[in-house]
Each structure stands twice: as structure tokens, then as C-alpha cells.
Amino acid sequence: GVSRRQALWNAGYVESPDQLEGTSVTLAPPMLPGMSDVELTLADLWATRISPEMHPIEHLRPLLEHEGIYSIAGLADAEPRRRVKVAGLITHRQRPATAVGVTFLNLEDETGMLNIVCSEALWRRYRRIGRNAAGMIIRGILERNEGVTNLIADKLMRIEEVYPETVGKVPPRHASRDFR
């Protein structure tokens, strides 16, 4: 029956058997402001690495759509071999020894996941962004083959650098699973 902020405040002062009786603070919590939808999503991700309510990119979707950036599900309507932009969080980074310098990324938004193929030259150029950015806008050529959709990347961009108004709406540290 309390807000999430009040529950967090109260959790810091719960009496437990290993405390002396009467040593906890019994003051009522201060009037705390409610959390916005973005704050709730980021708090969920921070605490549990998942958000049951909304994906962080979902908060940005109106801006991204206005700029012509596709959702991953929206790529089903895009023409193959065309240059498109998508945005999302990086969930995996892989560079198998058999891939001859090619790096594979997995991009996730609120609608699904997409395989991103980064050539060795592209990776050298955008290595810092590719290795460190949690949220990206990726431009590339859309490829479909036997029911599998890939994006052959030609540019990697941090969402926050392209759209400064998104700072604080994308998790600053989103742990991806990286393989070599």
C-alpha cells in the first residue's frame, strides 16, 4: 500500500532480530516524489536487470519514429538491401575466431531482437562506441535470407550523442553478454 520510494525508504529501517530493540528509526518517511515511468524502468533494470513493465527504448519510440528510425518489428515492412536505421540496447557482442575479424552484435528493442554484422573496418572505426555503448542507433543495409534478418552495419552511434534529450532515459550501464 505504499509507493516504491516509500518502500525503499522503509526497507532501510526495518528492525531485525540482530538489532537492539528500539534502535531503529521510527519516524514516518518524508513526503517523497513519485517515480516517473522512465525512473521506474531504470530502477527495475538496475535492481533486477529486467523491466516487467516497459523496455527503455519504448520510452524513446515517439522520438525515434519521428526521425524515421525503425523498430525491429517494423523492419518486416522495410525493403531488403535498403539503408535503414534502428535503435536499441546491445545484449550480445561476439567475435568468433572463424569470423575473420567480423563482430556480431545483438540489438534489442521493445519489439524484438536483431542481428548486426560489423565488418573489421567498421569495428576499427567505431570500436569505442561498439564496445562501450549500452544503447545505440545503428545504420546499415538490411539483409534477409531464408527467413533471417540481419543488418550489415555501416555506422554505430550512441543514442545519447545523437539525441541529447535521451540522457537519463537509457541505462548508462547495461550489461551485455560478450563472447570472444
Side-chain angles (χ1 to χ4, degrees):
V2 297
S3 73
R4 187 181 302 206
R5 286 195 193 228
Q6 288 173 321
L8 287 169
W9 176 272
N10 292 343
Y13 294 106
V14 173
E15 279 192 29
S16 65
D18 62 339
Q19 292 177 326
L20 292 174
E21 190 175 322
T23 59
S24 66
V25 176
T26 57
L27 298 173
M31 291 300 294
L32 300 169
M35 296 173 83
S36 69
D37 288 342
V38 171
E39 290 171 323
L40 287 169
T41 299
L42 294 178
D44 286 341
L45 289 172
W46 172 81
T48 65
R49 291 192 174 190
I50 61 168
S51 177
E53 300 297 325
M54 292 182 82
H55 192 280
I57 299 301
E58 197 171 348
H59 297 290
L60 307 177
R61 185 55 55 200
L63 169 69
L64 298 172
E65 283 179 352
H66 182 264
E67 297 296 323
I69 297 172
Y70 283 86
S71 69
I72 292 169
L75 291 175
D77 299 328
E79 226 179 287
R81 296 180 297 282
R82 300 275 321 241
R83 179 169 278 128
V84 297
K85 289 181 186 175
V86 291
L89 300 179
I90 301 300
T91 63
H92 299 80
R93 293 174 176 90
Q94 299 184 89
R95 185 179 305 147
T98 57
V100 194
V102 173
T103 301
F104 300 95
L105 305 176
N106 196 291
L107 187 75
E108 176 188 81
D109 72 6
E110 74 279 16
T111 68
M113 298 183 119
L114 177 66
N115 298 316
I116 309 292
V117 180
C118 301
S119 68
E120 189 173 12
L122 175 106
W123 195 256
R124 270 195 310 271
R125 182 172 184 188
Y126 295 104
R127 179 185 175 114
R128 182 177 222 108
I129 294 169
R131 289 188 65 176
N132 300 311
M136 284 191 218
I137 296 171
I138 301 176
R139 185 183 74 186
I141 304 298
L142 185 62
E143 179 182 84
R144 278 200 203 93
N145 191 5
E146 297 179 21
V148 176
T149 302
N150 295 310
L151 188 70
I152 310 302
D154 61 30
K155 187 171 187 178
L156 306 179
M157 301 163 274
R158 291 179 193 273
I159 290 177
E160 307 85 25
E161 290 176 3
V162 178
Y163 302 109
E165 62 271 30
T166 66
V167 171
K169 295 182 180 179
V170 175
R173 298 217 188 274
H174 172 70
S176 66
R177 294 181 296 274
D178 300 340
F179 306 96
R180 292 183 185 239

